Amino acid sequence: GGSYEDRLYRRPWDFDPREVATECLLWYGADDSRIPLSAGSWLAARLPNATFTVWPGHGHFSWAVDAAVAEIVAAVVSSPTA
């Protein structure tokens, strides 16, 4: 599974993120060792309706076992596109 994901991360996308009109909520662990913070920043800068949240002290999925998950659920539920 991990090697398949790695290939997906590295190949060109078949769309331009600047054309995504939908609201996008992005959360990123500042200590993510799999994907650099610069990748998340790059994507957030290109999505016109992105909200980019960086959590210090979190990695790739460590937020999922932390109280931070409640913040994500609340944001998604209150989003007008939910």
Side-chain angles (χ1 to χ4, degrees):
S3 64
Y4 175 74
E5 276 190 11
D6 286 340
R7 286 194 305 273
L8 291 176
Y9 293 143
R10 297 176 202 289
R11 74 174 193 197
W13 295 344
D14 59 355
F15 68 95
D16 183 346
R18 294 172 292 199
E19 296 175 1
V20 175
T22 304
E23 176 188 18
C24 297
L25 305 173
L26 306 173
W27 292 276
Y28 195 91
D31 296 339
D32 190 332
S33 61
R34 293 196 63 193
I35 302 172
L37 180 58
S38 60
S41 297
W42 179 91
L43 181 58
R46 282 157 182 78
L47 290 166
N49 296 306
T51 300
F52 186 53
T53 302
V54 178
W55 283 325
H58 282 285
H60 198 63
F61 279 112
S62 64
W63 55 265
V65 294
D66 187 83
V69 75
E71 183 180 330
I72 290 176
V73 171
V76 170
V77 170
S78 67
S79 173
T81 59

